[in-house]
Amino acid sequence: MIFPLTVDRILADRPRAEFGRSVLTVAAPGGTHVVLGGHDPQGSADGYPIGVYAAPAPGADTSALQAHPPALQWLRTGWRLRAAAFHPTLPLLVLGTGSYDGGYFFEGELVLLDLATGEHRHLFEEGCRREVRSLEWTDARTLRILLAPYDDWEDRAAWREGHRVDLVRPDWRTVPAHSVRDTELTGPRVPAALPEPTPAVAAPDTEEPRPGEIRSLTVLPDGDILLTADHVLLERWSARGQRRWSVPADPDLGGGRTSVALPEGHSAWVETLGPRHGDSGTFLRIDLSDGTERERLTTPGPAALVTTSEGPLLVPMCAGYGERARSRFRHGPHAIFRDIAGSPCVCDCPWDDDEDCDCRCGCPACAVQGPDAEVWLTTVDTHHTRHPADLALPAAVRCRRLFPWSWEPGETHSGGPGVGVGETDLIMATVRHDGRADLPVQGFVTRRSVAEGSTGIPSWIFPVDRTPTALDIDPATDTVLVTLSSGELIALEATTGAFLARGHVLVRGVPVIPTAVTVIGPGRILLGTSDARVLICCLKPT
């Protein structure tokens, strides 16, 4: 089922955030112009974004583009955009992509986009990767392509020369995917310099740091919103989208990971993004009226900020390889965290990049044997005698290990977001790794009991194909909302884990990647994105 979600309002926006500084302006038949853009995805596994936009009429104010008009079409490609050309008579657009792989090869693809249907087809046959440097329609049947040579091995001229190829098809609307054979891509050697992109149609350069991922969203009793992000420690926004104040990221500490407002309503504690696990943690108490710093606390070891029925609390976080010290559970009466036991690694192992890894290697100096090698889900017993503004690690006697983090013996699961349900249950997300340094191979959303004596065996398990980035529950509809690193939002029935809906979140026709989700009322949610947007969304009943 397609996710029944609409974006009511964009609370915080970043003009043309998805395109950076690389765009092409291409003339379409009849004199209409369309702007296409793309940029390096900064390590994104989902490829390079390309959007098709209507350009302003001649003489019109270009600020219309800066206001981010809706995308006419949108897709992602395996390499960055190099060239584009509209068909002279049909609603078709051909895209050429490519890049140098850093070793020998020039790789890329040829994509045909149907502007009427939104369908796109990759035309090169499977296994054929040729960088496209120039495209031109010589007539309605013939597409002229300039291709980079395969590689620059003993051929430095490959950077400024290529091969000219004419592809002829009687009807380009019916060209099948992967139908252009490698044998067709031979032609005379001609000048084919790498094209330079035109200046981006985007917001002007500023001295502000590049906006980054939204890490957390918290709604205050008066309806205002607190957000933490890569580029800010803490910001306060009104529900109507007015930024009241902002605390920029610290050069040494980075931005903010999460925040917890104090019960007195005048200040909030913020957990900073840096430094990395294995070092100390730094926490700032910020005045909510003007954003000034009231207090600063540095812990001797890694710790995370959590919210409980007794107010903000710190928990120890001895993270394993590839994880940062964090606890991403909320709404429960108790603090819950991932407890990794064992001594620090002291050998010169491949994973010991911070000199405090938890690789469980087999050398005599740091091997961990017996039950202490387990990774546990641990809770902190409530204690209401302390002052709610104080922030400190709980005494060891208050920390109770409940059950192993992974419900399957021998599996390695890393931490993810979670929410408390009532007094005894927890809905949580994890990802399974086949090795300490490997990418996650499987994600899960599960419901587990945290009652006294519970074994931790999930009452339901819902597998997902990407890493969960955020999770919350709508108690009015008993719906769990999970966002994934692919940009999808999934809705599950909280009691049974039954699938309800899934789909991508679109902003002006462009998919975004949600990184934070907070339910603000029945059927209404806040979404934070990887490009620093904050969206107020509505879930339509189905």
Side-chain angles (χ1 to χ4, degrees), residues 152-172:
D152 64 348
W153 176 253
E154 297 182 347
D155 182 12
R156 300 309 299 173
W159 288 88
R160 59 184 183 272
E161 295 180 355
H163 301 279
R164 185 180 65 205
V165 175
D166 287 344
L167 290 180
V168 180
R169 297 292 187 272
D171 185 355
W172 279 89

PDB file of all heavy atoms in Angstrom, residues 152-172:
ATOM      1  N   ASP A 152      42.266   5.178 -19.495  1.00  0.00           N
ATOM      2  CA  ASP A 152      43.391   6.042 -19.853  1.00  0.00           C
ATOM      3  C   ASP A 152      44.725   5.312 -19.691  1.00  0.00           C
ATOM      4  O   ASP A 152      45.768   5.945 -19.532  1.00  0.00           O
ATOM      5  CB  ASP A 152      43.370   7.323 -19.011  1.00  0.00           C
ATOM      6  CG  ASP A 152      43.574   7.075 -17.520  1.00  0.00           C
ATOM      7  OD1 ASP A 152      43.500   5.887 -17.100  1.00  0.00           O
ATOM      8  OD2 ASP A 152      43.795   8.036 -16.792  1.00  0.00           O
ATOM      9  N   TRP A 153      44.681   3.973 -19.730  1.00  0.00           N
ATOM     10  CA  TRP A 153      45.914   3.197 -19.616  1.00  0.00           C
ATOM     11  C   TRP A 153      46.803   3.492 -20.829  1.00  0.00           C
ATOM     12  O   TRP A 153      46.453   3.205 -21.960  1.00  0.00           O
ATOM     13  CB  TRP A 153      45.592   1.712 -19.538  1.00  0.00           C
ATOM     14  CG  TRP A 153      46.782   0.809 -19.517  1.00  0.00           C
ATOM     15  CD1 TRP A 153      47.215   0.013 -20.521  1.00  0.00           C
ATOM     16  CD2 TRP A 153      47.691   0.639 -18.433  1.00  0.00           C
ATOM     17  NE1 TRP A 153      48.347  -0.655 -20.142  1.00  0.00           N
ATOM     18  CE2 TRP A 153      48.671  -0.293 -18.854  1.00  0.00           C
ATOM     19  CE3 TRP A 153      47.791   1.183 -17.161  1.00  0.00           C
ATOM     20  CZ2 TRP A 153      49.710  -0.690 -18.035  1.00  0.00           C
ATOM     21  CZ3 TRP A 153      48.827   0.788 -16.349  1.00  0.00           C
ATOM     22  CH2 TRP A 153      49.775  -0.140 -16.782  1.00  0.00           C
ATOM     23  N   GLU A 154      47.949   4.095 -20.579  1.00  0.00           N
ATOM     24  CA  GLU A 154      48.893   4.506 -21.626  1.00  0.00           C
ATOM     25  C   GLU A 154      48.211   5.368 -22.693  1.00  0.00           C
ATOM     26  O   GLU A 154      48.554   5.317 -23.871  1.00  0.00           O
ATOM     27  CB  GLU A 154      49.544   3.268 -22.262  1.00  0.00           C
ATOM     28  CG  GLU A 154      50.366   2.453 -21.283  1.00  0.00           C
ATOM     29  CD  GLU A 154      51.038   1.259 -21.925  1.00  0.00           C
ATOM     30  OE1 GLU A 154      50.665   0.930 -23.074  1.00  0.00           O
ATOM     31  OE2 GLU A 154      51.923   0.653 -21.295  1.00  0.00           O
ATOM     32  N   ASP A 155      47.197   6.131 -22.277  1.00  0.00           N
ATOM     33  CA  ASP A 155      46.432   6.957 -23.226  1.00  0.00           C
ATOM     34  C   ASP A 155      45.938   8.208 -22.494  1.00  0.00           C
ATOM     35  O   ASP A 155      44.770   8.325 -22.145  1.00  0.00           O
ATOM     36  CB  ASP A 155      45.259   6.150 -23.786  1.00  0.00           C
ATOM     37  CG  ASP A 155      44.443   6.943 -24.811  1.00  0.00           C
ATOM     38  OD1 ASP A 155      44.913   8.007 -25.241  1.00  0.00           O
ATOM     39  OD2 ASP A 155      43.333   6.488 -25.156  1.00  0.00           O
ATOM     40  N   ARG A 156      46.849   9.168 -22.266  1.00  0.00           N
ATOM     41  CA  ARG A 156      46.450  10.378 -21.556  1.00  0.00           C
ATOM     42  C   ARG A 156      45.511  11.243 -22.386  1.00  0.00           C
ATOM     43  O   ARG A 156      44.796  12.091 -21.856  1.00  0.00           O
ATOM     44  CB  ARG A 156      47.691  11.192 -21.169  1.00  0.00           C
ATOM     45  CG  ARG A 156      48.651  10.453 -20.274  1.00  0.00           C
ATOM     46  CD  ARG A 156      47.958   9.846 -19.058  1.00  0.00           C
ATOM     47  NE  ARG A 156      47.335  10.848 -18.213  1.00  0.00           N
ATOM     48  CZ  ARG A 156      46.567  10.585 -17.168  1.00  0.00           C
ATOM     49  NH1 ARG A 156      46.294   9.333 -16.857  1.00  0.00           N
ATOM     50  NH2 ARG A 156      46.042  11.557 -16.449  1.00  0.00           N
ATOM     51  N   ALA A 157      45.481  11.019 -23.708  1.00  0.00           N
ATOM     52  CA  ALA A 157      44.556  11.776 -24.552  1.00  0.00           C
ATOM     53  C   ALA A 157      43.103  11.393 -24.281  1.00  0.00           C
ATOM     54  O   ALA A 157      42.179  12.068 -24.759  1.00  0.00           O
ATOM     55  CB  ALA A 157      44.885  11.561 -26.025  1.00  0.00           C
ATOM     56  N   ALA A 158      42.885  10.323 -23.529  1.00  0.00           N
ATOM     57  CA  ALA A 158      41.518   9.912 -23.212  1.00  0.00           C
ATOM     58  C   ALA A 158      40.761  10.976 -22.424  1.00  0.00           C
ATOM     59  O   ALA A 158      39.534  10.977 -22.401  1.00  0.00           O
ATOM     60  CB  ALA A 158      41.540   8.606 -22.416  1.00  0.00           C
ATOM     61  N   TRP A 159      41.480  11.902 -21.793  1.00  0.00           N
ATOM     62  CA  TRP A 159      40.832  12.960 -21.027  1.00  0.00           C
ATOM     63  C   TRP A 159      40.287  14.069 -21.928  1.00  0.00           C
ATOM     64  O   TRP A 159      39.459  14.854 -21.486  1.00  0.00           O
ATOM     65  CB  TRP A 159      41.815  13.546 -20.014  1.00  0.00           C
ATOM     66  CG  TRP A 159      42.086  12.600 -18.892  1.00  0.00           C
ATOM     67  CD1 TRP A 159      43.034  11.619 -18.828  1.00  0.00           C
ATOM     68  CD2 TRP A 159      41.372  12.522 -17.666  1.00  0.00           C
ATOM     69  NE1 TRP A 159      42.965  10.935 -17.644  1.00  0.00           N
ATOM     70  CE2 TRP A 159      41.946  11.475 -16.897  1.00  0.00           C
ATOM     71  CE3 TRP A 159      40.292  13.230 -17.122  1.00  0.00           C
ATOM     72  CZ2 TRP A 159      41.481  11.126 -15.640  1.00  0.00           C
ATOM     73  CZ3 TRP A 159      39.836  12.889 -15.859  1.00  0.00           C
ATOM     74  CH2 TRP A 159      40.421  11.851 -15.130  1.00  0.00           C
ATOM     75  N   ARG A 160      40.751  14.130 -23.158  1.00  0.00           N
ATOM     76  CA  ARG A 160      40.296  15.211 -24.035  1.00  0.00           C
ATOM     77  C   ARG A 160      39.799  14.703 -25.397  1.00  0.00           C
ATOM     78  O   ARG A 160      39.410  15.483 -26.256  1.00  0.00           O
ATOM     79  CB  ARG A 160      41.416  16.231 -24.249  1.00  0.00           C
ATOM     80  CG  ARG A 160      42.684  15.654 -24.869  1.00  0.00           C
ATOM     81  CD  ARG A 160      43.779  16.700 -24.966  1.00  0.00           C
ATOM     82  NE  ARG A 160      44.971  16.168 -25.620  1.00  0.00           N
ATOM     83  CZ  ARG A 160      45.943  15.543 -24.989  1.00  0.00           C
ATOM     84  NH1 ARG A 160      45.873  15.360 -23.679  1.00  0.00           N
ATOM     85  NH2 ARG A 160      46.999  15.095 -25.665  1.00  0.00           N
ATOM     86  N   GLU A 161      39.815  13.401 -25.596  1.00  0.00           N
ATOM     87  CA  GLU A 161      39.318  12.813 -26.833  1.00  0.00           C
ATOM     88  C   GLU A 161      38.365  11.675 -26.506  1.00  0.00           C
ATOM     89  O   GLU A 161      38.374  11.119 -25.409  1.00  0.00           O
ATOM     90  CB  GLU A 161      40.471  12.287 -27.692  1.00  0.00           C
ATOM     91  CG  GLU A 161      41.399  13.372 -28.204  1.00  0.00           C
ATOM     92  CD  GLU A 161      42.533  12.809 -29.043  1.00  0.00           C
ATOM     93  OE1 GLU A 161      42.626  11.552 -29.141  1.00  0.00           O
ATOM     94  OE2 GLU A 161      43.315  13.594 -29.584  1.00  0.00           O
ATOM     95  N   GLY A 162      37.523  11.340 -27.492  1.00  0.00           N
ATOM     96  CA  GLY A 162      36.584  10.252 -27.307  1.00  0.00           C
ATOM     97  C   GLY A 162      36.138   9.695 -28.637  1.00  0.00           C
ATOM     98  O   GLY A 162      36.769   9.921 -29.674  1.00  0.00           O
ATOM     99  N   HIS A 163      35.001   8.976 -28.578  1.00  0.00           N
ATOM    100  CA  HIS A 163      34.500   8.302 -29.775  1.00  0.00           C
ATOM    101  C   HIS A 163      33.108   8.831 -30.117  1.00  0.00           C
ATOM    102  O   HIS A 163      32.224   8.885 -29.252  1.00  0.00           O
ATOM    103  CB  HIS A 163      34.447   6.791 -29.546  1.00  0.00           C
ATOM    104  CG  HIS A 163      35.767   6.193 -29.203  1.00  0.00           C
ATOM    105  ND1 HIS A 163      36.709   5.885 -30.155  1.00  0.00           N
ATOM    106  CD2 HIS A 163      36.335   5.868 -28.004  1.00  0.00           C
ATOM    107  CE1 HIS A 163      37.779   5.387 -29.571  1.00  0.00           C
ATOM    108  NE2 HIS A 163      37.581   5.367 -28.256  1.00  0.00           N
ATOM    109  N   ARG A 164      32.911   9.214 -31.373  1.00  0.00           N
ATOM    110  CA  ARG A 164      31.613   9.704 -31.831  1.00  0.00           C
ATOM    111  C   ARG A 164      30.806   8.533 -32.387  1.00  0.00           C
ATOM    112  O   ARG A 164      31.269   7.796 -33.255  1.00  0.00           O
ATOM    113  CB  ARG A 164      31.787  10.774 -32.901  1.00  0.00           C
ATOM    114  CG  ARG A 164      30.464  11.426 -33.335  1.00  0.00           C
ATOM    115  CD  ARG A 164      30.702  12.466 -34.386  1.00  0.00           C
ATOM    116  NE  ARG A 164      31.221  11.860 -35.616  1.00  0.00           N
ATOM    117  CZ  ARG A 164      31.948  12.523 -36.507  1.00  0.00           C
ATOM    118  NH1 ARG A 164      32.282  13.781 -36.292  1.00  0.00           N
ATOM    119  NH2 ARG A 164      32.360  11.906 -37.614  1.00  0.00           N
ATOM    120  N   VAL A 165      29.584   8.396 -31.881  1.00  0.00           N
ATOM    121  CA  VAL A 165      28.727   7.274 -32.258  1.00  0.00           C
ATOM    122  C   VAL A 165      27.348   7.813 -32.603  1.00  0.00           C
ATOM    123  O   VAL A 165      26.800   8.651 -31.872  1.00  0.00           O
ATOM    124  CB  VAL A 165      28.612   6.248 -31.110  1.00  0.00           C
ATOM    125  CG1 VAL A 165      27.634   5.147 -31.468  1.00  0.00           C
ATOM    126  CG2 VAL A 165      29.981   5.667 -30.776  1.00  0.00           C
ATOM    127  N   ASP A 166      26.758   7.352 -33.695  1.00  0.00           N
ATOM    128  CA  ASP A 166      25.387   7.684 -34.072  1.00  0.00           C
ATOM    129  C   ASP A 166      24.502   6.464 -33.843  1.00  0.00           C
ATOM    130  O   ASP A 166      24.681   5.414 -34.480  1.00  0.00           O
ATOM    131  CB  ASP A 166      25.309   8.106 -35.541  1.00  0.00           C
ATOM    132  CG  ASP A 166      25.891   9.486 -35.790  1.00  0.00           C
ATOM    133  OD1 ASP A 166      26.067  10.236 -34.801  1.00  0.00           O
ATOM    134  OD2 ASP A 166      26.186   9.820 -36.951  1.00  0.00           O
ATOM    135  N   LEU A 167      23.557   6.600 -32.907  1.00  0.00           N
ATOM    136  CA  LEU A 167      22.587   5.537 -32.658  1.00  0.00           C
ATOM    137  C   LEU A 167      21.304   5.866 -33.414  1.00  0.00           C
ATOM    138  O   LEU A 167      20.725   6.939 -33.228  1.00  0.00           O
ATOM    139  CB  LEU A 167      22.278   5.426 -31.163  1.00  0.00           C
ATOM    140  CG  LEU A 167      23.373   4.878 -30.247  1.00  0.00           C
ATOM    141  CD1 LEU A 167      22.881   4.853 -28.803  1.00  0.00           C
ATOM    142  CD2 LEU A 167      23.789   3.480 -30.681  1.00  0.00           C
ATOM    143  N   VAL A 168      20.841   4.947 -34.218  1.00  0.00           N
ATOM    144  CA  VAL A 168      19.653   5.166 -35.030  1.00  0.00           C
ATOM    145  C   VAL A 168      18.563   4.187 -34.593  1.00  0.00           C
ATOM    146  O   VAL A 168      18.787   2.973 -34.522  1.00  0.00           O
ATOM    147  CB  VAL A 168      19.951   4.967 -36.536  1.00  0.00           C
ATOM    148  CG1 VAL A 168      18.691   5.203 -37.369  1.00  0.00           C
ATOM    149  CG2 VAL A 168      21.071   5.908 -36.979  1.00  0.00           C
ATOM    150  N   ARG A 169      17.376   4.738 -34.276  1.00  0.00           N
ATOM    151  CA  ARG A 169      16.218   3.938 -33.916  1.00  0.00           C
ATOM    152  C   ARG A 169      14.997   4.527 -34.616  1.00  0.00           C
ATOM    153  O   ARG A 169      14.816   5.751 -34.624  1.00  0.00           O
ATOM    154  CB  ARG A 169      15.987   3.915 -32.403  1.00  0.00           C
ATOM    155  CG  ARG A 169      17.120   3.283 -31.589  1.00  0.00           C
ATOM    156  CD  ARG A 169      17.215   1.787 -31.846  1.00  0.00           C
ATOM    157  NE  ARG A 169      18.180   1.127 -30.971  1.00  0.00           N
ATOM    158  CZ  ARG A 169      19.476   0.994 -31.234  1.00  0.00           C
ATOM    159  NH1 ARG A 169      19.997   1.495 -32.361  1.00  0.00           N
ATOM    160  NH2 ARG A 169      20.267   0.367 -30.395  1.00  0.00           N
ATOM    161  N   PRO A 170      14.115   3.688 -35.188  1.00  0.00           N
ATOM    162  CA  PRO A 170      12.953   4.224 -35.889  1.00  0.00           C
ATOM    163  C   PRO A 170      11.978   4.935 -34.964  1.00  0.00           C
ATOM    164  O   PRO A 170      11.318   5.909 -35.364  1.00  0.00           O
ATOM    165  CB  PRO A 170      12.319   2.989 -36.541  1.00  0.00           C
ATOM    166  CG  PRO A 170      12.840   1.827 -35.753  1.00  0.00           C
ATOM    167  CD  PRO A 170      14.209   2.222 -35.298  1.00  0.00           C
ATOM    168  N   ASP A 171      11.826   4.472 -33.737  1.00  0.00           N
ATOM    169  CA  ASP A 171      10.902   5.095 -32.781  1.00  0.00           C
ATOM    170  C   ASP A 171      11.516   4.996 -31.391  1.00  0.00           C
ATOM    171  O   ASP A 171      11.538   3.923 -30.776  1.00  0.00           O
ATOM    172  CB  ASP A 171       9.546   4.397 -32.810  1.00  0.00           C
ATOM    173  CG  ASP A 171       8.514   5.092 -31.925  1.00  0.00           C
ATOM    174  OD1 ASP A 171       8.883   6.062 -31.217  1.00  0.00           O
ATOM    175  OD2 ASP A 171       7.343   4.671 -31.942  1.00  0.00           O
ATOM    176  N   TRP A 172      11.996   6.113 -30.881  1.00  0.00           N
ATOM    177  CA  TRP A 172      12.708   6.110 -29.603  1.00  0.00           C
ATOM    178  C   TRP A 172      11.779   5.879 -28.415  1.00  0.00           C
ATOM    179  O   TRP A 172      12.234   5.541 -27.328  1.00  0.00           O
ATOM    180  CB  TRP A 172      13.484   7.413 -29.425  1.00  0.00           C
ATOM    181  CG  TRP A 172      14.776   7.384 -30.174  1.00  0.00           C
ATOM    182  CD1 TRP A 172      14.992   7.760 -31.470  1.00  0.00           C
ATOM    183  CD2 TRP A 172      16.036   6.921 -29.679  1.00  0.00           C
ATOM    184  NE1 TRP A 172      16.297   7.564 -31.826  1.00  0.00           N
ATOM    185  CE2 TRP A 172      16.972   7.051 -30.745  1.00  0.00           C
ATOM    186  CE3 TRP A 172      16.468   6.402 -28.477  1.00  0.00           C
ATOM    187  CZ2 TRP A 172      18.299   6.687 -30.614  1.00  0.00           C
ATOM    188  CZ3 TRP A 172      17.807   6.039 -28.334  1.00  0.00           C
ATOM    189  CH2 TRP A 172      18.701   6.180 -29.390  1.00  0.00           C
TER     190      TRP A 172
END
